[in-house]
Amino acid sequence: MFLVDLLFPNRCLECNRIIHHNEVVCELCFDQINFTHHHFSESNLLTEKCRLLFPIENAFALMQFEEESTSQKIIHQLKYGGREKIGKIISNWTLEKIDLRKSKIDLLVTIPLHPTKQKERGYNQLHLFADTLSKGLKIPCDHSLIKRNFYKKAQAQKRREQRTFNENLFSITKNISNQHILLIDDVFTTGNTMSAVAWQILKEGNNKVSVLVMAID
């Protein structure tokens, strides 16, 4: 055991028990996580929500994102607590619960942060998550296909009358066609951000879109 583990032991985000440095919650609290049990190839709540906004092939959310829930605490630590390695943990949970081998996904694509935002945070919370998925699924991943054009705007644009703004929120950085893209994000809330990215991809060529998120609100 490293000295840092003795001086600053890793603790469960839920109950504060000392746990292995590669874990985020203890076994007892892991059992309390509200996993969705979605099947990627079957219709589910996320699929239905996405279909109200854009054409979609399949969708999967790993967890329910509820106020004061364990899943909320985990994702908040990933995004705001400087714990980028949690992305790998969530990715391994995802790989254990879904099988994408028959889905014919061509490319994994992450929702980008604005460069200024990413510099402030120090990392994009989706990159390690997606890279771990990419390695496990043997499907390439592209973090640069989508560019965010505005800073600190996405979460402010929630009303339908602001759709025009959302259509310009992202842009494609390279030509893509005849690709089945799996869009990856952390939490699906209103779906406005995901929809803005999906439409950019769909209008580029004969592309198809599926969605995978860590949690659905």
Side-chain angles (χ1 to χ4, degrees):
M1 183 179 290
F2 295 108
L3 180 61
V4 68
D5 294 325
L6 292 172
L7 298 176
F8 306 100
N10 187 32
R11 293 183 178 274
C12 173
L13 288 182
E14 188 62 57
C15 70
N16 209 37
R17 288 189 181 94
I18 294 177
I19 56 177
H20 190 273
H21 63 88
N22 285 331
E23 297 174 343
V24 63
V25 291
C26 68
E27 290 184 7
L28 292 176
C29 292
F30 177 82
D31 290 337
Q32 303 305 311
I33 297 175
N34 191 0
F35 290 105
T36 64
H37 304 293
H38 284 172
H39 293 285
F40 186 73
S41 59
E42 300 175 6
S43 183
N44 54 57
L45 178 61
L46 179 58
T47 311
E48 294 169 3
K49 286 179 174 290
C50 288
R51 282 180 177 155
L52 294 174
L53 301 170
F54 56 90
I56 188 171
E57 300 298 312
N58 298 294
F60 174 85
L62 178 66
M63 301 176 285
Q64 298 282 355
F65 190 81
E66 299 158 334
E67 197 69 27
E68 301 301 323
S69 67
T70 303
S71 60
Q72 184 192 57
K73 294 173 184 177
I74 291 170
I75 293 176
H76 276 197
Q77 279 296 305
L78 169 64
K79 294 179 68 173
Y80 310 116
R83 298 183 63 178
E84 183 181 11
K85 290 184 179 179
I86 290 177
K88 184 175 183 179
I89 296 172
I90 301 175
S91 184
N92 287 329
W93 294 348
T94 303
L95 289 168
E96 291 172 359
K97 291 183 177 295
I98 61 169
D99 185 356
L100 297 176
R101 288 175 296 182
K102 296 181 181 180
S103 59
K104 297 181 179 179
I105 301 293
D106 296 303
L107 185 66
L108 310 183
V109 173
T110 50
I111 304 296
L113 295 174
H114 189 275
T116 303
K117 185 68 167 181
Q118 185 164 327
K119 185 176 180 180
E120 289 176 353
R121 185 170 295 173
Y123 59 92
N124 182 314
Q125 70 275 7
L126 300 176
H127 286 183
L128 184 56
F129 173 75
D131 289 340
T132 305
L133 285 178
S134 175
K135 183 177 180 180
L137 297 169
K138 295 180 173 58
I139 300 173
C141 182
D142 191 333
H143 299 308
S144 63
L145 178 66
I146 309 297
K147 176 185 176 183
R148 186 184 288 265
N149 297 321
F150 302 101
Y151 177 55
K152 289 186 177 179
K153 294 291 186 180
Q155 293 304 314
Q157 312 306 316
K158 293 185 180 295
R159 292 181 294 180
R160 290 181 183 271
E161 60 264 32
Q162 294 171 316
R163 185 175 300 164
T164 300
F165 179 90
N166 284 331
E167 289 176 351
N168 298 317
L169 183 57
F170 299 96
S171 57
I172 303 290
T173 63
K174 62 192 77 171
N175 294 327
I176 53 168
S177 60
N178 299 306
Q179 297 285 295
H180 185 180
I181 306 294
L182 181 63
L183 288 179
I184 295 174
D185 204 358
D186 44 35
V187 181
F188 187 98
T189 50
T190 64
N192 286 345
T193 298
M194 188 69 75
S195 179
V197 175
W199 280 113
Q200 290 294 330
I201 291 172
L202 290 167
K203 71 183 184 181
E204 274 293 303
N206 187 30
N207 297 310
K208 297 186 292 185
V209 167
S210 289
V211 166
L212 188 151
V213 296
M214 298 177 186
I216 182 171
D217 194 343

